[in-house]
Amino acid sequence: MFGFFCVSEMLQLPLVVTAQVDLLLVLVSLLAFWTRLSHLSYPNAVVFDEVYYGQFVSLYMKRVFFIDDSGPPLGHMILAFGAYLGGFDGNFVWNRIGAEYPSTVNVWSLRLLPALCGALCVPLVYLLTLELKFSHLSALGAAVLLLLENSLIVQSRFMLLESVLIFFVLLAFFSYLRFHNAPKFSVWWWFHWLILCGVSCGAAVGVKYMGLFSYLLLLVVASLHTWKLIGDKTISHMNVCVQSVHRVLCLVVVPVLLYVFWFYVHLSFLNRSGPHDQLMSSAFQASLQGGLSRITRGQPLEVAYGSQVTLRSSVSQPIPCWLHSHKVNYPIRYDNGRGSSHQQQVTCYPFKDVNNWWIIKDPGRQQLVVDTPPRPVRHGDVIQLVHGMTSRFLNSHDVAAPMSPHTQEVSGYIDFNVSMPAQNLWRVDISNREAESEVWKTILSEVRLIHVNTSAVLKLSGVSLPDWGFRQLEVVADKLFKAHSSSLEWTVEEHRYGTSQEQKEREAELHSPTHIDVDRKISFWAKFVELQWKMLTVKQEESEHKYSSSPLEWITMETNIAYWLHSSTNAQIHLIGNPVSWGVANLSLLAYQLLAVVYLLRRRRGLKDVPDGVWDQFVCLGCVCVGGWLVNFVPFLLMDKTLFLYHYLPALCYLYLLSPALLEHAHTHLLRYAHQLQHSVTHQRALCVGALAVLLSIFLTYRTFCPLTYGSPELSAHQLQGLKWRDTWDILYRRR
């Protein structure tokens, strides 16, 4: 009993919990969720780029491999997870904008996660402004600017990725600044914010490659802070080392590991053959279920003398193709008057065909069948290649190629008794060998075939032949030191051991592959590296779009995008920003730059207009906001791709963060400390009244454009004409 009273006295019963709730933060958060999530299923139709992202979501649901050159897989995984939560099975054809979703598709679930990310951006901006050491009033202003930005609302309410990217970027900066501002006596408190920053950076880059620029900006800011830390003599050497290592681990190692992890999940989950298989190497294709793996299952691993093979060019541009020949000769003379050997054409054919088969022959023996046991072909061996269907030897000689006259012609040799002897010996050079006696392996080995007589290398030139060559791709022999290495390599894709010496029997044999169990799995790292390279080099065909625009047009919102139009009424949704907010953002950017120039010039002359602490706050604001705008806008000026207005939204968010903070700086420091100016209090009040008037205008403009933001209520043709504030905007309407 005595012990019970002692415990009660120590705990000071009753226990009381005190919590501080920021009501402004709660309010803007609730409003953000209401503006982004209300009536999320409307319209019940495919909206603009949902037709693009929806295809990848369907492939995820079916676990089918694909490549999207626009970015890493995390964004697609997030959209696919939302679809999974709604029970989507992938059985919907994303073939046109405006197509109605069937009742079996949970539209709300498809759009949920982007909408949640878009809503969370509003409280994040509020908190980020506080971490920049500005007031709650400035934080409220920044949150309101994002809250009432029509274009951000539109982009958040559909199955798109910009809101997801913006969320992770804002979370990264918030968590880093929270770490930087946290009291250092609480190690776990500030360390877990640093980890969250690294995770957010990895997620931002994993959603879209544009997140990389914000990540690099954050690294620059962190590097400056670390450099300042190193120069702080009040901190011990050990403490400096520990903190520096923590920053490297959390801000460099963690994002890199996460980036690799996204692809690990992506490649592990998408294990079925799909529409983008042929862009990948034969080894990559064979690791997928179906497709090439179905064709090559059970093939012999080691290429031997007498093997029947198809040779695929390792270059996937302009298109994947296989070494090919057919019973048609080169024309005696080309259109430009040059002569040819008039021997059998050898080309590269972009389709599976029986004429793609070749036989590996030992030059010292006549037989075209595999010995028992098979004699494998090794690196450095000299071979002959015999075309399976025509029995012509692969040949090259000192005759100019038809379309690339600086290289040698490659042909199927025909003896015309015209003093043109056969030159049909080729040396096998395995470029990815691990030993000098490496055996030529199916799918795994990348081989260069070097012409023995001329030291030229068999190569895909990539040029299409004229009609006499059936528009197939030209194959040439080029000198090794002249040719680019990536265009020289060939891979054995389909392979069987030949058993028939007679031509007729061999032709029948080419249609019945042998089956010998063999494991040809390639490692994750090999697939990861190859996929990275393909995403950087294999670009989808770009075409001009009605709503495409240039980056300079984004600043003044010269253009809009029609996202959805009802099939029979004037109800429609457009990506149009809040014109007043847009103008405020541009003015803030210009004002900050002018003010920074004035400050720098005066400080250079020894005149300090603001205390050092305020100056550091002003510089930090510029690094994050103006720097964030620059890194998210300038790269688009250098890009040669189709661009749209929504690409500007991440940059715009930084300006919305800048505007209220800059206004507070002007109100608190420029006017209050301008003692030489009379009536400074009057100026401060005038500034406040002006700011309130601007906020009211932003709200009224938001309300005005709501019918184009949410698609309801339907407006008349006359009302729609009234919303065309710029002549360059394309607003559609039906007259009745």
Side-chain angles (χ1 to χ4, degrees), residues 16 44 84 125 324 327 453 539 598 624 645 689 702 708:
V16 178
N44 189 48
Y84 170 78
V125 162
H324 177 92
K327 290 183 179 180
N453 298 77
K539 299 297 181 183
V598 171
V624 174
L645 181 63
V689 171
Y702 158 76
L708 298 184

Side-chain angles (χ1 to χ4, degrees), residues 89-138:
D89 58 5
N91 292 318
F92 178 74
V93 181
W94 309 83
N95 56 2
R96 65 180 179 88
I97 298 172
E100 291 288 328
Y101 288 113
S103 58
T104 55
V105 175
N106 188 332
V107 182
W108 187 86
S109 177
L110 290 176
R111 297 169 177 170
L112 174 62
L113 295 183
L116 285 175
C117 289
L120 290 172
C121 287
V122 176
L124 265 179
V125 162
Y126 181 95
L127 295 171
L128 182 52
T129 304
L130 295 180
E131 293 304 322
L132 287 168
K133 300 181 179 178
F134 289 91
S135 67
H136 285 80
L137 196 58
S138 292

Side-chain angles (χ1 to χ4, degrees), residues 545-565:
H545 194 282
K546 177 181 179 181
Y547 292 108
S548 62
S549 54
S550 67
L552 294 179
E553 292 176 319
W554 302 340
I555 297 177
T556 53
M557 202 163 50
E558 293 286 334
T559 184
N560 69 304
I561 304 176
Y563 268 20
W564 171 79
L565 176 66

Side-chain angles (χ1 to χ4, degrees), residues 418-492:
V418 290
S419 302
M420 188 176 287
Q423 299 181 40
N424 52 28
L425 298 179
W426 301 85
R427 186 170 69 253
V428 176
D429 182 272
I430 302 176
S431 58
N432 63 341
R433 64 185 180 276
E434 297 179 358
E436 289 303 312
S437 60
E438 180 87 15
V439 174
W440 188 358
K441 296 184 178 67
T442 305
I443 291 178
L444 300 179
S445 297
E446 295 177 353
V447 171
R448 290 183 291 184
L449 296 172
I450 302 174
H451 191 234
V452 172
N453 298 77
T454 63
S455 296
V457 182
L458 191 70
K459 171 189 174 182
L460 170 66
S461 73
V463 181
S464 295
L465 296 171
D467 290 339
W468 54 257
F470 308 101
R471 298 290 173 182
Q472 296 176 17
L473 299 178
E474 181 189 42
V475 173
V476 301
D478 202 355
K479 299 294 184 182
L480 180 60
F481 63 88
K482 292 183 179 179
H484 189 268
S485 60
S486 64
S487 63
L488 306 174
E489 295 168 346
W490 302 81
T491 303
V492 171

Side-chain angles (χ1 to χ4, degrees), residues 16-69:
V16 178
V17 177
T18 303
Q20 289 184 334
V21 178
D22 189 335
L23 294 180
L24 288 179
L25 178 60
V26 173
L27 177 62
V28 295
S29 300
L30 292 176
L31 290 174
F33 282 105
W34 179 71
T35 55
R36 271 67 176 175
L37 271 70
S38 61
H39 305 290
L40 195 58
S41 298
Y42 181 83
N44 189 48
V46 178
V47 174
F48 200 62
D49 269 356
E50 285 187 338
V51 75
Y52 175 76
Y53 291 110
Q55 298 175 49
F56 299 127
V57 169
S58 288
L59 292 175
Y60 253 108
M61 294 297 102
K62 298 178 180 179
R63 306 190 67 174
V64 172
F65 172 77
F66 65 85
I67 297 178
D68 178 18
D69 65 321

Side-chain angles (χ1 to χ4, degrees), residues 524-542:
F524 159 73
W525 289 109
K527 295 171 72 174
F528 172 77
V529 171
E530 180 179 346
L531 184 55
Q532 297 303 299
W533 178 248
K534 294 298 181 183
M535 291 175 66
L536 292 173
T537 58
V538 178
K539 299 297 181 183
Q540 304 296 333
E541 184 177 348
E542 297 284 349

Side-chain angles (χ1 to χ4, degrees), residues 602-617:
R602 289 176 62 83
R603 291 177 77 87
R604 185 63 176 170
R605 297 296 298 171
L607 302 173
K608 294 187 177 181
D609 300 289
V610 293
D612 289 340
V614 176
W615 170 249
D616 291 341
Q617 181 193 42

